Amino acid sequence: MSMSYEKVEVPAEGEQITLADEETGELNVPENPIIPIIYGDGIGTDVGPATQKVLDAAAEATGRSIAWMRVYAGESAREKYDENLPEDTVTAIREHRVAIKGPLTTPVGAGFRSLNVALRQTLDMYANVRPTYHINGVPSPVKSPEKMDMVTFRENTEDVYAGIEWEAGTDEVEQVRSFLEDEMEVADVIHDGPVGIGIKPISEFGSKRLIREAIDYAIAQERDSVTLVHKGNIMKFTEGAFRDWGYELAEEEYGDEVITEDDLWEEYDGEQPEGTVVVKDRIADNMLQQILTRTDEYDVVATMNLNGDYMSDAAGAQIGGLGIAPGANFGHGRCLAEPVHGSAPKYAGEDKVNPTAMILSGREMLDYLGWKDAADLVRDAVEETISSGTVTYDLHRQIEGGTKVATSEFADAIVENIEKLS
Ligand code: NAD
């Protein structure tokens, strides 16, 4: 393991997190771990330091400390090192296993790949995890936002998002068209004239490792159910296979710990036995209705890339939107926490925006470390702060009364509440 970085600020103290068990991905977490942090672009320089302050307070209140390792990507990396994503950044995150990042602007122009996608792919972070739960005091467009407490596991590497597609009018797309029509006997489906074609790979390997991550999470967090969301009624061999592989995995790897919804009714009369997780499935369009009408029946959700993108945004809107929505990417024994929102360049450096999304992403990271007490403290302190009416501009304009504070002041108020609550 190399610890000689040139383009990284190595902390003076702190110990490295290591893998404890190759098979399960379990980690050895010291009480003073080194954790890489990318502040990110635009408002990243506002929400990054605010998050650090809050996580430091939560670690300290629970008898620990975090040794931050500043690493660079995006604009800050271009300014300092004249490159978008230094190899050292990727290596540091890979070697330290658990990291947090703010938003990165996707540079506009030919040849620029999204840095976020590059990071997730290089580190093989195959699960994008989006918790959606309501924080008391946050304005919401629905009547009972508190009914939502769902964690979406979105597959991150496959599906129509894999980037296998050809542009209309190119030789390549015509080759694909001829292959389909002449060799695969696809007749009378593709209209004559210009057409773009994309491919949707859904593999057993990709599906099972994602669903395994979701079931393991449900067991560890004592959640009741995992719902497989798919359009298998139409896309039988891709989305339908995802569902089938999910049930197969549940049966093969989890024994009595995981039961199906059919078992629940046929064997247990609808009474879920203590300590079990129920695996069920829903068609994606129906699921978008269900999260509005039967919100509290859903817990952990496992789904493919495109469904997951739509669903987690819809669920996020129910609990207050972008300033609040946290996220994380999981790989095997790896976690890269990041808020759902982007770099909102027009507010950059104004000490104005809401750091809650990145702070709650930090909470996911603490949970991943196994620091549940610190993670809960962060959530409770955020809730205490917002419900007392101390909020940033975005929430202030939606509530009556309340005190509008800057990003940094909001973080200070959360730190005070951490000290009070601990
Ligand atoms: P955005 O999320 O940056 O901003 C959209 C709007 O949402 C903002 O104008 C603001 O009104 C609001 N908003 C976002 N975050 C907020 C916060 N913390 N507090 C208060 N209000 C907030 O989306 P965009 O404008 O589409 O994207 C800007 C850039 O960010 C693009 O380059 C995009 O590629 C990138 N992006 C990065 C990520 C990531 O790093 N994971 C995610 C999404 C977008």
Side-chain angles (χ1 to χ4, degrees):
M1 229 170 264
S2 90
M3 289 288 282
S4 55
Y5 303 104
E6 281 172 23
K7 298 175 181 173
V8 156
E9 287 167 22
V10 181
E13 294 177 4
E15 285 175 62
Q16 191 168 340
I17 295 172
T18 54
L19 195 60
D21 184 334
E22 180 66 47
E23 203 175 310
T24 61
E26 206 177 305
L27 300 177
N28 276 319
V29 181
E31 295 292 81
N32 58 344
I34 299 172
I35 296 189
I37 182 166
I38 300 175
Y39 284 170
D41 297 330
I43 55 170
T45 53
D46 301 291
V47 298
T51 300
Q52 231 173 345
K53 212 189 289 182
V54 170
L55 300 184
D56 277 338
E60 195 184 321
T62 53
R64 309 171 176 114
S65 64
I66 298 172
W68 295 105
M69 176 189 251
R70 267 296 287 285
V71 299
Y72 297 89
E75 276 158 31
S76 61
R78 281 201 294 284
E79 271 166 28
K80 255 177 120 73
Y81 304 116
D82 201 23
E83 54 185 321
N84 274 320
L85 185 60
E87 190 54 40
D88 270 2
T89 295
V90 179
T91 314
I93 296 177
R94 182 179 290 123
E95 289 187 345
H96 291 84
R97 297 198 159 265
V98 176
I100 184 164
K101 67 175 275 290
L104 293 170
T105 300
T106 303
V108 183
F112 280 121
R113 215 154 59 112
S114 156
L115 285 173
N116 295 303
V117 175
L119 260 175
R120 287 177 207 149
Q121 280 180 351
T122 327
L123 296 164
D124 202 20
M125 300 272 186
Y126 50 82
N128 183 239
V129 184
R130 295 200 186 167
T132 34
Y133 52 86
H134 187 244
I135 297 276
N136 193 15
V138 174
S140 153
V142 298
K143 268 196 230 151
S144 309
E146 71 289 346
K147 287 190 175 166
M148 166 84 59
D149 185 5
M150 199 169 89
V151 185
T152 306
F153 279 67
R154 166 186 169 194
E155 206 288 327
N156 230 350
T157 65
E158 297 194 310
D159 206 349
V160 279
Y161 275 35
I164 315 174
E165 54 175 15
W166 297 276
E167 193 178 355
T170 58
D171 289 346
E172 288 82 1
V173 84
E174 290 310 319
Q175 262 183 43
V176 177
R177 188 207 299 254
S178 323
F179 171 72
L180 292 173
E181 290 178 345
D182 303 341
E183 295 184 43
M184 303 304 288
E185 294 168 15
V186 175
D188 303 326
V189 177
I190 305 173
H191 295 296
D192 288 341
V195 62
I197 298 180
I199 299 268
K200 179 182 176 79
I202 300 289
S203 68
E204 178 178 355
F205 172 75
S207 303
K208 283 190 171 173
R209 70 175 176 174
L210 181 272
I211 297 165
R212 189 180 293 115
E213 206 71 47
I215 296 180
D216 286 349
Y217 178 91
I219 292 172
Q221 302 282 331
E222 297 175 5
R223 296 285 193 143
D224 288 337
S225 68
V226 173
T227 306
L228 309 169
V229 176
H230 60 89
K231 285 288 290 177
N233 52 334
I234 310 289
M235 294 175 270
K236 294 189 170 55
F237 305 133
T238 50
E239 305 230 345
F242 175 89
R243 170 203 58 215
D244 295 345
W245 284 320
Y247 282 121
E248 195 176 281
L249 173 92
E251 193 180 326
E252 281 172 0
E253 296 186 13
Y254 293 93
D256 294 343
E257 219 169 352
V258 175
I259 60 174
T260 64
E261 200 173 32
D262 285 347
D263 295 339
L264 176 66
W265 290 102
E266 284 162 18
E267 291 175 32
Y268 303 100
D269 228 9
E271 288 287 321
Q272 182 169 350
E274 189 125 345
T276 60
V277 170
V278 173
V279 174
K280 49 191 176 183
D281 75 278
R282 295 288 181 272
I283 305 283
D285 41 343
N286 179 31
M287 184 66 179
L288 283 168
Q289 292 192 28
Q290 299 253 318
I291 58 173
L292 281 164
T293 55
R294 312 184 73 140
T295 316
D296 50 7
E297 291 179 17
Y298 298 97
D299 220 334
V300 176
V301 167
T303 190
M304 287 148 285
N305 217 332
L306 179 62
N307 294 335
D309 199 4
Y310 294 159
M311 247 195 53
S312 54
D313 264 32
Q318 275 177 244
I319 50 94
L322 275 183
I324 302 293
N329 303 285
F330 291 176
H332 189 67
R334 304 184 177 285
C335 166
L336 176 63
E338 61 171 334
V340 171
H341 65 70
S343 55
K346 71 177 175 191
Y347 298 117
E350 289 187 14
D351 197 14
K352 178 173 178 176
V353 295
N354 192 348
T356 302
M358 186 157 170
I359 291 170
L360 293 178
S361 304
R363 176 202 179 204
E364 292 309 304
M365 185 184 82
L366 299 182
D367 228 342
Y368 195 86
L369 295 178
W371 296 3
K372 193 172 182 316
D373 48 356
D376 289 349
L377 201 47
V378 170
R379 184 201 187 284
D380 293 348
V382 167
E383 187 154 67
E384 183 70 27
T385 310
I386 295 178
S387 60
S388 74
T390 304
V391 289
T392 45
Y393 85 100
D394 53 318
L395 298 188
H396 186 254
R397 64 187 173 190
Q398 299 176 61
I399 58 173
E400 282 190 25
T403 316
K404 181 165 79 173
V405 294
T407 312
S408 54
E409 292 167 331
F410 182 70
D412 290 338
I414 298 172
V415 169
E416 262 176 46
N417 279 322
I418 285 179
E419 286 161 3
K420 253 189 239 158
L421 291 169
S422 59

